[in-house]
Amino acid sequence: MSIALKNIVLVVQATWSGESLDAVVETVSIDSRSLQNSSHTLFFALVGPNNDAHTYIKDLVHSGVKNFVVQYIPEGCAGKANFLVVQNTLTALQDFAAYYRSTFHFPVLGITGSNGKTIVKEWLNFLLSPDFNVIRSPKSYNSQVGVPLSVVAINEKHNLGIFEAGISTVQEMAQLQKVIQPTIGVLTNIGTSHDEGFVNLEQKIKQKLLLFEHVSVLIYQKNKVVDQCLDPAIQVFSWSFEDPKASVFIFKKQTDAQGTLIEYRYKQNNAAFKIPFQDNASIENAISCLMVLLHFNYDSTLISSRLALLFPVEMRLKLKDGINNCTLIDDSYSSDFQSLKIALDFLESQKKLENKTVILSDIFQSGLSNEVLYAKVAQLILSNNIHRVIGIGHTISEFKDRFQNCITFADTAAFIDNFETLEFANETILVKGARSFEFEQIVSLLEEKTHETVLEINLNAISHNLNFFKSKLQPKVKIMVMVKAFGYGNGGLEIANLLQHHKVDYLGVAFADEGIALKNGGIELPIMVLNPENSSFSAIIHHQLEPEIYCLKGLHAFLKIAKQKNLQHFPIHIKLDTGMHRLGFEKEAIPELIATLKGNPHVKVQSILSHLATSDDLVHRDFTISQINLFETLSSRIILELENHPIRHILNTSGISNYPDAQYNMVRLGIGLYGVSNDPLEQKYLENVGTLKSVISQIRTIAPGQSVGYGRKFMAQSTTNVATIPIGYADGISRGWGNGVGFVIIKNKKATIIGSICMDMLMVDVTAIDCREGDAVVIFGEKPTVSYLAKKLKTIPYEILTSISQRVKRVFYR
């Protein structure tokens, strides 16, 4: 995004006051706490029932923010920044987003309905991402604020949008339609959510259908009430379980323990697909996804293969084991009337324990007076047969008498102080609170402490490996350590802190956000960003990162910003392409590169670098030598012309060992730090850094002829003891490691993985191992090593390490 302030003034119909209308806006923010706020941020000071962002403007001006959309200029701020004064900042945000959306011309799916919006959106992103660069709403950003914030994240690389829109009353959808401007509509299930905001069901449907006024096609489940509300001019693509006249007729669904088989007819042809779900909501959501794929002309075979891989979308409401035989429902990050109803429905479905307790904070964003709101909440609690209510917050405490068997506390701290007196046992507990109440502390107290799947990181081993490679360096040669991709999957900030302690010279990251996270975490070492996008240059400058520049377009873009900011000798790194043919200036571009840089006061060439394609394979030694020679020629020419003495570096981990004469002024240490080498002799001197561990969740015995896992890929030939381990491909374990190929270590013995690896778990044969539920399991570490897994899976250790999901807890130890 790069939009002149003078254009935005017209878009939001503002009165301007300030320094310069020529200022350029690159990002939009509504959060005064965001560390990404900069001089090119446009801050919308939203006003809500409990907060007025105008109160934070003075601090934002002091921190360097220059551009604001406001309803009034706060006292003492006039003349210190650019202010666009409007009647309503929320409307201005929406108008700005609508303008920004209109500058892009690719297909956009608009999704609305009562239920299933977020799941359908996330599934469609998964299903379509192999073929499109998708921009979608983050999480459940479907509100009057969330939708515009989602839309302004579009960039030039996207060629498909998926945005969800949620409304709770009339006159909301028309504004969201202007912002999203969908070309394809998807209407999900119409239920009773938000009914109180509408006169009747027909009004609610008509309001939701406003999103689709200008779509080329509307995808929906054929329904008489919806059909009556539809504009006849809208082209529809419908599906139905009952009406054969629908575009797609679902004529059979069959559910078993593995999921649901769905058979359908489209254009006189029958086809089928299977999903790993049995519930009706998931079935309907999957069919909505099917319809989109059909609209995009995917063939039935590809549709079937992709839908079979659908996964549960983790929502905020989670079921956990609690202390003292309790069941815990964790909905500790939101507190509004509508989501309370959903949570109570979920609570009611848990019939394991008779007694039910609700821990509830003050409720926000209801649109009702407190008197009306808490009368409704009390009635809702009563109708759900809740035995005990624990209210936390000043407002709910004022309405304590509305509830039966209710105790209240002023804040979370007071609850924690009295925790031992509350006696939680043999009950289902719903914990529901606004984020500001930090109810995660309550969940931590109530949650049963169990073993977890963890990646243990040995910091001593990292120190050892660093010193091993340092010992190979010539005197005064600097070392840059790569901590990109979350420290090769091991944990970026923690490892960066250790490297800072060891006083390495540079850190390397792939993208700006990785470097920003390190800087925000207190890292003071210089950080080079290897693959900076032009849109990130302002953030790079703001956080004092150092960009790698690899093409003339990127150089001119950076110099433009550097000139605007009046930078002096800002450090940049020039990447040369010596044969990798991935990124970098080629030989032909060197004269223009030199001409552009020569005499430019805004930047300083801090280093010149290139990358070796085959430093780990001595079969290609001649090619590597040719790369080094070309690097010498090109870099020497640049140095001579610029009369500068930058750092030069071309060696990676393998290069340090195999080409010691090309160390120049600095080397870049990557995978070697994490204990992996391509040289078997060198590997002996490195220490293992990461050990991926889990536990046995359950052990069962199956008879001959019984199967394990999806697709029945494993069939027992004899009585077999099967252990289930809570780690799967969503955690980074390749599905290719299943079905007898791979193994884990239990009690120092190999346990073969049987059946297909699931999203969140895998199963192993423990017939010959004396083990129990809760016993430790090693997936990789000293044995099997990451290199062993990579060899068997015909990949590289980098992929194994970086594939470990960040949902796997990292535990660092010395």
Side-chain angles (χ1 to χ4, degrees):
M1 178 187 295
S2 181
I3 305 175
L5 203 63
K6 57 187 175 184
N7 295 331
I8 301 173
V9 169
L10 299 174
V11 170
V12 301
Q13 301 180 32
T15 301
W16 170 74
S17 171
E19 298 178 327
S20 172
L21 273 174
D22 293 325
V24 174
V25 167
E26 297 175 354
T27 60
V28 168
S29 175
I30 63 167
D31 187 350
S32 63
R33 299 163 299 178
S34 174
L35 296 176
Q36 297 182 41
N37 293 330
S38 70
S39 60
H40 290 286
T41 295
L42 181 62
F43 185 86
F44 286 80
L46 301 184
V47 178
N50 301 304
N51 192 30
D52 183 353
H54 291 77
T55 60
Y56 307 118
I57 288 178
K58 188 174 182 179
D59 290 338
L60 286 167
V61 171
H62 181 72
S63 67
V65 179
K66 297 291 186 181
N67 309 297
F68 298 88
V69 178
V70 298
Q71 293 176 194
Y72 60 90
I73 301 174
E75 185 178 352
C77 293
K80 296 183 179 180
N82 290 310
F83 291 99
L84 278 61
V85 184
V86 298
Q87 288 188 344
N88 185 295
T89 48
L90 174 58
T91 300
L93 173 63
Q94 294 168 341
D95 290 345
F96 173 75
Y99 159 75
Y100 185 69
R101 162 67 182 93
S102 68
T103 64
F104 296 89
H105 305 285
F106 51 73
V108 171
L109 282 80
I111 304 174
T112 193
S114 300
N115 306 300
K117 297 184 293 294
T118 301
I119 292 173
V120 170
K121 177 201 67 186
E122 293 298 322
W123 281 359
L124 284 175
N125 176 67
F126 165 75
L127 295 166
L128 296 170
S129 286
D131 311 305
F132 294 92
N133 291 324
V134 179
I135 173 70
R136 74 188 194 280
S137 310
K139 298 184 179 180
S140 294
Y141 272 40
N142 59 26
S143 67
Q144 298 292 304
V145 174
V147 168
L149 290 178
S150 301
V151 166
V152 296
I154 299 175
N155 65 44
E156 291 74 12
K157 295 182 179 180
H158 297 125
N159 56 14
L160 179 68
I162 309 176
F163 298 105
E164 56 173 307
I167 59 172
S168 57
T169 189
V170 297
Q171 299 180 342
E172 290 184 343
M173 188 61 82
Q175 197 66 21
L176 297 186
Q177 189 281 328
K178 294 177 184 176
V179 176
I180 298 175
Q181 300 168 37
T183 60
I184 301 167
V186 179
L187 181 66
T188 63
N189 176 275
I190 296 292
T192 59
S193 298
H194 304 294
D195 271 356
E196 66 280 358
F198 305 94
V199 174
N200 52 38
L201 178 61
E202 182 179 348
Q203 185 191 52
K204 182 166 76 168
I205 291 174
K206 286 182 177 180
Q207 288 293 312
K208 290 183 179 294
L209 290 176
L210 291 176
L211 179 63
F212 310 126
E213 277 190 327
H214 304 294
V215 298
S216 61
V217 63
L218 169 61
I219 294 168
Y220 78 113
Q221 182 179 6
K222 197 167 180 57
N223 177 290
K224 289 182 179 180
V225 180
V226 175
D227 288 342
Q228 292 172 358
C229 299
L230 275 175
D231 182 344
I234 295 179
Q235 180 180 338
V236 298
F237 187 39
S238 63
W239 66 272
S240 178
F241 290 117
E242 301 170 352
D243 189 347
K245 295 180 181 179
S247 309
V248 175
F249 179 53
I250 312 297
F251 61 86
K252 186 178 181 181
K253 61 174 182 175
Q254 184 175 347
T255 299
D256 58 29
Q258 283 74 44
T260 304
L261 177 68
I262 298 169
E263 299 181 56
Y264 63 95
R265 183 177 300 116
Y266 174 54
K267 293 183 177 179
Q268 308 305 315
N269 295 316
N270 292 348
F273 64 92
K274 190 169 186 178
I275 58 172
F277 302 97
Q278 297 89 14
D279 63 288
N280 290 332
S282 294
I283 292 170
E284 289 188 10
N285 292 334
I287 295 172
S288 292
C289 295
L290 163 73
M291 298 294 289
V292 174
L293 296 179
L294 289 173
H295 174 72
F296 279 99
N297 296 315
Y298 283 69
D299 64 67
S300 59
T301 302
L302 183 58
I303 289 173
S304 178
S305 65
R306 290 194 182 176
L307 288 175
L309 300 177
L310 291 180
F311 49 88
V313 176
E314 184 175 296
M315 309 300 271
R316 289 177 173 173
L317 199 149
K318 304 171 186 176
L319 185 67
K320 304 177 178 180
D321 291 331
I323 60 173
N324 303 327
N325 195 38
C326 289
T327 297
L328 183 63
I329 299 175
D330 178 4
D331 195 14
S332 56
Y333 296 102
S334 66
S335 182
D336 59 82
F337 187 66
Q338 301 309 320
S339 64
L340 174 61
K341 292 165 62 175
I342 295 170
L344 288 172
D345 287 341
F346 186 73
L347 173 61
E348 180 60 24
S349 71
Q350 303 304 309
K351 300 182 181 300
K352 178 180 176 183
L353 300 166
E354 182 179 353
N355 288 340
K356 293 177 288 187
T357 292
V358 172
I359 302 175
L360 184 65
S361 78
D362 288 346
I363 294 177
F364 301 135
Q365 300 171 332
S366 70
L368 305 171
S369 69
N370 285 336
E371 287 283 345
V372 174
L373 170 63
Y374 285 98
K376 285 179 172 288
V377 172
Q379 181 58 44
L380 197 59
I381 293 290
L382 181 64
S383 64
N384 278 269
N385 300 314
I386 303 302
H387 295 81
R388 177 170 58 160
V389 176
I390 299 175
I392 299 178
H394 293 289
T395 306
I396 196 171
S397 296
E398 293 176 8
F399 294 91
K400 173 182 176 180
D401 294 340
R402 297 290 181 94
F403 301 92
Q404 296 180 3
N405 193 22
C406 178
I407 183 174
T408 60
F409 299 95
D411 52 34
T412 303
F415 170 91
I416 293 172
D417 288 342
N418 290 274
F419 179 76
E420 297 297 333
T421 67
L422 297 173
E423 299 181 351
F424 295 100
N426 301 307
E427 57 191 309
T428 303
I429 308 166
L430 169 62
V431 180
K432 183 157 189 58
R435 187 177 293 272
S436 60
F437 284 83
E438 298 182 347
F439 270 16
E440 61 268 21
Q441 299 178 61
I442 295 176
V443 172
S444 179
L445 289 173
L446 291 170
E447 187 176 0
E448 184 180 45
K449 304 305 182 286
T450 59
H451 295 289
E452 299 175 288
T453 295
V454 298
L455 181 60
E456 294 183 346
I457 308 299
N458 185 340
L459 295 177
N460 289 68
I462 289 180
S463 298
H464 168 86
N465 297 337
L466 174 65
N467 290 330
F468 172 79
F469 284 101
K470 273 187 173 181
S471 71
K472 291 176 172 285
L473 302 183
Q474 300 165 14
K476 297 185 179 180
V477 172
K478 300 178 184 294
I479 188 166
M480 173 186 289
V481 180
M482 310 310 295
V483 291
K484 61 181 182 177
F486 193 54
Y488 287 60
N490 293 282
L493 179 58
E494 293 81 1
I495 291 174
N497 274 315
L498 178 64
L499 296 172
Q500 185 164 262
H501 172 74
H502 283 290
K503 298 182 179 180
V504 303
D505 300 285
Y506 259 90
L507 298 179
V509 297
F511 300 106
D513 56 350
E514 296 175 314
I516 291 170
L518 296 180
K519 288 291 187 180
N520 290 341
I523 299 301
E524 297 177 354
L525 292 173
I527 299 174
M528 183 179 77
V529 182
L530 280 79
N531 307 320
E533 298 168 331
N534 290 3
S535 60
S536 69
F537 282 155
S538 289
I540 285 174
I541 293 168
H542 178 71
H543 292 277
Q544 292 297 298
L545 304 173
E546 300 178 16
E548 172 187 288
I549 304 296
Y550 50 81
C551 65
L552 289 167
K553 181 180 178 182
L555 176 59
H556 288 304
F558 189 82
L559 289 175
K560 179 181 178 181
I561 295 175
K563 184 177 180 180
Q564 291 172 350
K565 294 179 178 290
N566 196 28
L567 300 179
Q568 297 295 313
H569 306 298
F570 193 91
I572 62 173
H573 302 258
I574 300 298
K575 175 73 171 287
L576 304 180
D577 182 3
T578 57
M580 183 77 166
H581 297 326
R582 188 173 63 178
L583 293 175
F585 289 90
E586 295 181 311
K587 180 180 179 180
E588 294 75 15
I590 298 303
E592 187 174 351
L593 168 66
I594 293 172
T596 304
L597 290 173
K598 201 166 186 177
N600 192 300
H602 301 297
V603 296
K604 172 189 175 184
V605 178
Q606 186 74 6
S607 83
I608 305 174
L609 67 145
S610 189
H611 195 67
L612 299 177
T614 57
S615 64
D616 59 330
D617 190 351
L618 295 180
V619 172
H620 299 286
R621 182 176 178 84
D622 288 345
F623 179 78
T624 301
I625 293 297
S626 72
Q627 279 196 270
I628 294 171
N629 291 337
L630 181 57
F631 177 69
E632 171 66 27
T633 300
L634 299 181
S635 61
S636 295
R637 181 179 175 183
I638 295 171
I639 291 171
L640 180 64
E641 293 280 356
L642 296 183
E643 300 179 349
N644 187 16
H645 298 283
I647 299 168
R648 290 193 284 179
H649 49 113
I650 192 172
L651 298 185
N652 54 9
T653 295
S654 298
I656 293 172
S657 300
N658 293 335
Y659 300 92
D661 293 336
Q663 292 181 4
Y664 286 97
N665 312 105
M666 187 162 70
V667 298
R668 301 190 302 271
L669 177 61
I671 195 71
L673 182 77
Y674 306 99
V676 177
S677 173
N678 291 298
D679 183 348
L681 294 178
E682 189 174 77
Q683 184 66 56
K684 295 179 180 179
Y685 294 98
L686 300 178
E687 292 184 0
N688 178 69
V689 170
T691 301
L692 183 60
K693 292 182 174 181
S694 191
V695 297
I696 297 175
S697 293
Q698 189 176 38
I699 298 175
R700 71 184 68 243
T701 301
I702 63 173
Q706 292 186 322
S707 62
V708 172
Y710 289 122
R712 307 191 73 199
K713 297 296 179 64
F714 174 81
M715 303 291 292
Q717 302 300 310
S718 59
T719 301
T720 305
N721 294 338
V722 180
T724 299
I725 317 299
I727 186 170
Y729 62 77
D731 303 294
I733 307 302
S734 171
R735 295 184 78 244
W737 195 231
N739 294 309
V741 175
F743 61 89
V744 300
I745 300 297
I746 301 174
K747 299 285 188 178
N748 295 318
K749 295 181 179 180
K750 290 184 179 180
T752 302
I753 300 173
I754 56 178
S756 297
I757 291 176
C758 306
M759 178 177 286
D760 306 302
M761 62 195 77
L762 56 83
M763 289 69 72
V764 298
D765 184 349
V766 293
T767 306
I769 302 175
D770 181 18
C771 56
R772 301 287 184 272
E773 293 174 359
D775 283 348
V777 178
V778 175
I779 291 84
F780 66 68
E782 295 286 352
K783 178 183 177 183
T785 64
V786 170
S787 296
Y788 179 87
L789 265 70
K791 183 177 180 181
K792 292 295 183 181
L793 290 169
K794 298 181 180 180
T795 184
I796 56 177
Y798 297 79
E799 184 177 11
I800 303 295
L801 286 173
T802 58
S803 294
I804 302 304
S805 168
Q806 292 195 37
R807 79 175 186 177
V808 174
K809 183 178 179 180
R810 271 69 174 174
V811 176
F812 298 88
Y813 70 99
R814 292 184 179 276

